[in-house]
Amino acid sequence: PGATTTFRVVSYDDAGNSTPSAHAWVSVNGAATQAGSLGRVTVRFTRPGMYAVRATHPGAIRSPTVWVHVGSS
């Protein structure tokens, strides 16, 4: 039971170029997990529902909240 998804966190420079946001924190309904060196983190959702997902990194502007809907199988 449950579903997994991988989030990719990037940062943008002043010219709009993106780079992986290494070791950013990804929060799902308040529970944070640290991304790896390529800015990726895989999250397992164990129950259906709506989940608030947000990324933060020291010295960067935090992401807006993204709502993820996990349906039942």
Side-chain angles (χ1 to χ4, degrees):
T4 60
T5 191
T6 299
F7 294 97
R8 186 176 139 234
V9 184
V10 296
S11 295
Y12 293 92
D13 64 18
D14 291 338
N17 301 309
S18 67
T19 56
S21 191
H23 311 295
W25 287 94
V26 176
S27 174
V28 179
N29 283 358
T33 302
Q34 194 169 30
S37 60
L38 297 177
R40 294 177 187 257
V41 62
T42 299
V43 175
R44 181 171 185 79
F45 298 97
T46 57
R47 291 185 294 241
M50 293 294 291
Y51 294 86
V53 180
R54 175 183 293 175
T56 59
H57 193 276
I61 298 170
R62 67 178 161 83
S63 73
T65 299
V66 175
W67 288 93
V68 176
H69 178 256
V70 177
S72 58
S73 322

